[in-house]
Amino acid sequence: MTARVYLKNIVKRFGKVVAVDHVNLEVREKEFLVLLGPSGCGKTTTLRIIAGLEFPDEGRVYIDDKDVTDLEPKDRDVAMVFQNYALYPHLTVRDNIAFPLIIRRKQLGLTREEIYKKVLEVAKLLRIEELLDRKPGQLSGGQQQRVALARALIRRPKVWLMDEPLSNLDALLRLQMRAELKRLQREVGITTIYVTHDQAEALSMADRIAVMNKGRIVQVGTPEDIYLRPQHVFVATFIGTPPMNIIRCITDLRNNKLYLHCPGIEREIPPEVAKHLREDMELLLGMRPEFVEVHKEPGPDTIKAKILVVEPQGSELILNLNISPEDREETIVKVKTKATRKYSPGETVYLELDWTKISLFDAKTGKALA
Amino acid sequence: MGLLARRKRTKIILAFLLPELALILSFVLIPIMGTFVISFKTDHGYGLDNYYGVITERSPDKALVIPENIVKAQPPPWGALIHNIVWVAIHVPIVVFLGLGIAYLLHDVIGSSIVKSIMFLGMVIPMVVGGLLIRFMFDGDLGVVPLLFRKLGIEALSRTWINYPQTALIALILGSVWLWTGFSLTVYAAALESLPKSYIEAAKVDGASGFQIFFKVVFPLLKHATIVVVIMTMLWDLKIFDIVFVSTLGGPGGATNVMALIMYTYFARALDYGRSAATAVILALISLIPGIWFIKRVMRSGS
Amino acid sequence: MVRRRGKKLIKYIVINIVVWALAILWVLPFIGITMVSLRPFSEVVVKGWWNIIGQYTLKNYVDAWTDPMYSLETGFRNSLIVTIPSTVIPLFIAALAAYVFSRFSFPLKTMLFITLLIIMAMPQQMSVIPLFFMLNKMGLYDKLQGLILVHSSWGLAWITFFLKNFFDTLPKEIEEAARVDGASDFHIFFRIVLPMSLPAIASVAAIQFTWVWSDFFYALVFLVSPQNYVATLQVATMKGQYHIDWGLLSAGSILTMSVPLILYALLQKYYVKGMVGWTVKG
Ligand SMILES: Nc1ncnc2c1ncn2[C@@H]1O[C@H](COP(=O)(O)OP(=O)(O)OP(=O)(O)O)[C@@H](O)[C@H]1O
Ligand SMILES: [Mg+2]
């Protein structure tokens, strides 16, 4: 039933725009893969190529090792939730949800009663059973979205494709639906490709995340990988609230040792990293706001910083700090800390970095240094 | 796209398109071509004889321009082509301003939807009936218009307008205003409805008067609607036939002849297919002036 | 403040009077012929039709309906025989074509589309002479079938244009959803696209019906035997060249226009959308 999806070197252009740029992606059997990226990066287009709604200019699409590049959507056995719902306006919610089964009624050997029973089940799951007799025009955005989801969930295809299926729900319902959806996917084990630009959603639901930018896939990995070991500065800055701090640094050769030289920071680069580097190279130092400790007093390996702004965030605080030793220049980092004590702008504090959780990127290519 | 999918698409396109193409080719395009061919046919092969004949024809019941015995400042007949042009010249501006004016005022009118429905009636009824109603409106015994002038003591306008060359053409043109204003009103009313209120409000805040708002803000914003009304009205005026046929048959003395009627006269009375076709071609070419304007607009907004 | 309000009120009253005066002027001919059709002509001529006191009779209607010379009964039957198929056939055929124009690209598409637009601007006069010979050859001259064929073919261009514009406004994701759900192209067209297009189809049907019912020129050219006359031809012949029997003519006019008028009363919204839509949308 369930399947592996493999995209091989896919390119899709719309006129001059390269919507999908040499994408290679393998989605494993039963996997919940999230396509994450900013608006316009090609997520929907990628999904449509898998569905067969768009034909790639280059590359092949495989479902279960079968080349489906030239197959029509209906011969691919996929179900899709559309970003703008695409509900049939002339059919009731019940018939909208039933549609994919009614189309295949003969193949599946189902009676109308059986189909409507299934409709009721999915409707209950998505809490829309009292809407079944309405037309889509009489529903709110969130309700329409759940109907669209139900229409995909009613079938057990090889692959589920979901294009931002929860984007229009209110916060609480969205949280509940994430859990429901994830549980259902686990239970039935259908390979799922899920598009979102909400990183929290991606991190909480995905088995693996594929981060896209400008038509390319920048990194594929588990949420932990993506969060802790970004392979590209784009991933580092796209994920996390606030995102990873990026500080411009250069390498410096002293006593045959390579040093990292950043505003307010001076540190030897470990030899296993240093062997890939030269002198006078521009690097980007990345540190997550939550992996920095704030001290009142200077310590052996601390960085002096001046508080510019304090943003309270519930039980936590986000401090905007200037770590540049010169007062004229500004190198701003954000730090997340418990609101256990009071900080005020103008105050000087001392930062201690967790050097095991630091990332280094080549400033030219943006790629992470091993 | 894969070969298979492409082949399937081709099949669908052909299946869906074929019936239409077949009918249009056989009963629309081939006849249009045929009319062209016939219009060039002469006794001795092909030539421009028919066109020459049609244009230089001077008898008042068939003349396109300047019938015989014309003296300066004489009432119609002036020739069918001129009548069509006069029709457009009078009808189009009246229809534009009347339709726009009423549409603009309707905002403040009680029962505005009833007014709109009444005015639209002219678009719904058969033009033949419209022609009879125009005949009725201007009838010396029964019609409202002559009666009105009788009450005003203007004897010359209190008789059956359609029977006199001085008044027949203008009666028909006014009648066509009556029939066609509903179209313009409806187009403008729809356009006004879709016009964001903020424009007018902004103009009010800027201190514009009611007239200024109308001419400086509303009218320019309705340019698209105006163009549509002008194009459609022109096309309608040029093709005008039913009204004339049923109310005056081009008379009296050719004073209300129009192109389409001349074409029919050559075809059905004179059985002169060549000249009939030549008249049709001239009419079609003139119709292409608003026609091409229309096509350009559609193609531009389509891309 | 008070003065301004007073001025506003006067303006409001004047506007209402002017517009309603125009509206009354506009219905006057309709009222006039209704009165004339219901009253003995002698009374109408002497006292004027606006005089509502006097005799009323349906004689004119009975005459117009049954008179052996120009029986509107026959005219109505013929009109319906022509109008119904001339509405359904082109609607169906053009809907198929419009869908292709809206959703697919193919060679010569732009050229074909421009051809449709040119046809829309062509006067009927441009086709009748060759059609006259063609129908003669096909044995369809002076036959209602011939008229149906001509009306159907000439309706295609505008209906295609109208429906294409409408299909363009339908989000194509809905059809894509159906494709992913497993529907075939035919299924998508007949079960998804057409039902979604019912408002547009109603507009097209109402207008095409009205136009065909109201057509005079094609009927005049392609029908000769009085027993084949459609209603518009019948009323036109009721008006004699020199003498006009206004009572009969009014009754005939009212009957003839009653069909599109009833349709308009029922489908007003679609009428207006249709007439305005296919031009304004453009
Ligand atoms: N049919 C099309 N014609 C032309 N350009 C297109 C088309 N579809 C998408 N594009 C372009 O391709 C790029 C990728 O679009 P896509 O819809 O895949 O982005 P997305 O990641 O889904 O964005 P969003 O998060 O806003 O939905 C965009 O630049 C878009 O403008
Ligand atoms: Mg998208």
Side-chain angles (χ1 to χ4, degrees), chain A residues 39-40 42-45 83 163-164 195 197:
Chain A
S39 188
K43 306 181 296 288
T44 299
T45 309
Q83 192 166 5
D163 198 348
E164 313 207 5
V195 164
H197 58 234

Side-chain angles (χ1 to χ4, degrees), chain C residues 253-267:
Chain C
S253 294
I254 289 173
L255 286 173
T256 303
M257 68 180 166
S258 65
V259 173
L261 282 180
I262 289 169
L263 205 63
Y264 172 60
L266 295 176
L267 297 173

Side-chain angles (χ1 to χ4, degrees), chain C:
Chain C
M1 195 63 209
V2 173
R3 226 171 90 204
R4 252 190 70 194
R5 202 178 294 158
K7 229 170 116 186
K8 259 201 169 145
L9 188 69
I10 290 171
K11 197 174 128 196
Y12 178 77
I13 293 172
V14 170
I15 287 176
N16 269 275
I17 291 175
V18 169
V19 172
W20 268 102
L22 275 173
I24 288 169
L25 185 68
W26 244 249
V27 269
L28 225 46
F30 290 100
I31 298 172
I33 60 158
T34 309
M35 294 301 286
V36 171
S37 74
L38 288 169
R39 319 262 321 263
F41 194 64
S42 49
E43 273 190 28
V44 173
V45 167
V46 177
K47 292 191 198 144
W49 51 260
W50 43 91
N51 207 323
I52 55 169
I53 303 149
Q55 266 190 301
Y56 284 81
T57 163
L58 287 177
K59 179 174 175 302
N60 285 322
Y61 287 89
V62 176
D63 284 354
W65 191 251
T66 58
D67 189 295
M69 271 276 285
Y70 24 66
S71 146
L72 267 183
E73 191 188 349
T74 323
F76 263 57
R77 207 192 53 224
N78 292 337
S79 277
L80 284 175
I81 292 175
V82 171
T83 308
I84 292 170
S86 301
T87 304
V88 176
I89 295 170
L91 182 49
F92 181 73
I93 293 176
L96 292 170
Y99 186 63
V100 170
F101 273 110
S102 169
R103 289 294 190 266
F104 297 89
S105 58
F106 50 91
L108 297 183
K109 175 174 164 173
T110 311
M111 206 202 75
L112 284 176
F113 192 63
I114 290 179
T115 307
L116 292 183
L117 297 178
I118 294 175
I119 292 171
M120 285 170 65
M122 276 292 137
Q124 292 171 310
Q125 282 74 15
M126 200 51 198
S127 65
V128 289
I129 303 170
L131 277 175
F132 168 76
F133 292 119
M134 282 167 74
L135 291 182
N136 249 323
K137 262 209 198 97
M138 296 164 75
L140 292 176
Y141 179 66
D142 196 22
K143 292 265 167 46
L144 297 178
Q145 294 94 307
L147 205 56
I148 292 172
L149 202 58
V150 174
H151 276 307
S152 299
S153 308
W154 278 79
L156 289 172
W158 86 264
I159 300 176
T160 308
F161 177 68
F162 183 101
L163 289 179
K164 180 212 173 259
N165 278 345
F166 182 82
F167 291 152
D168 284 350
T169 66
L170 294 178
K172 75 181 190 313
E173 280 83 359
I174 292 176
E175 290 146 56
E176 291 176 344
R179 273 168 71 194
V180 175
D181 287 345
S184 68
D185 286 279
F186 281 92
H187 194 117
I188 291 172
F189 181 73
F190 288 106
R191 296 282 185 77
I192 307 289
V193 177
L194 281 191
M196 282 198 300
S197 311
L198 278 180
I201 288 172
S203 290
V204 170
I207 292 169
Q208 174 74 357
F209 185 97
T210 305
W211 282 352
V212 174
W213 180 276
S214 304
D215 166 72
F216 179 66
F217 188 68
Y218 281 147
L220 182 69
V221 173
F222 298 128
L223 300 176
V224 275
S225 325
Q227 80 266 13
N228 288 335
Y229 275 14
V230 293
T232 47
L233 271 184
Q234 297 278 22
V235 253
T237 44
M238 277 182 190
K239 171 185 172 282
Q241 182 81 279
Y242 301 103
H243 166 75
I244 301 178
D245 181 345
W246 275 114
L248 185 72
L249 196 54
S250 302
S253 294
I254 289 173
L255 286 173
T256 303
M257 68 180 166
S258 65
V259 173
L261 282 180
I262 289 169
L263 205 63
Y264 172 60
L266 295 176
L267 297 173
Q268 188 166 357
K269 194 175 89 193
Y270 300 106
Y271 254 97
V272 173
K273 272 224 178 87
M275 294 241 182
V276 175
W278 77 270
T279 50
V280 167
K281 268 248 47 241

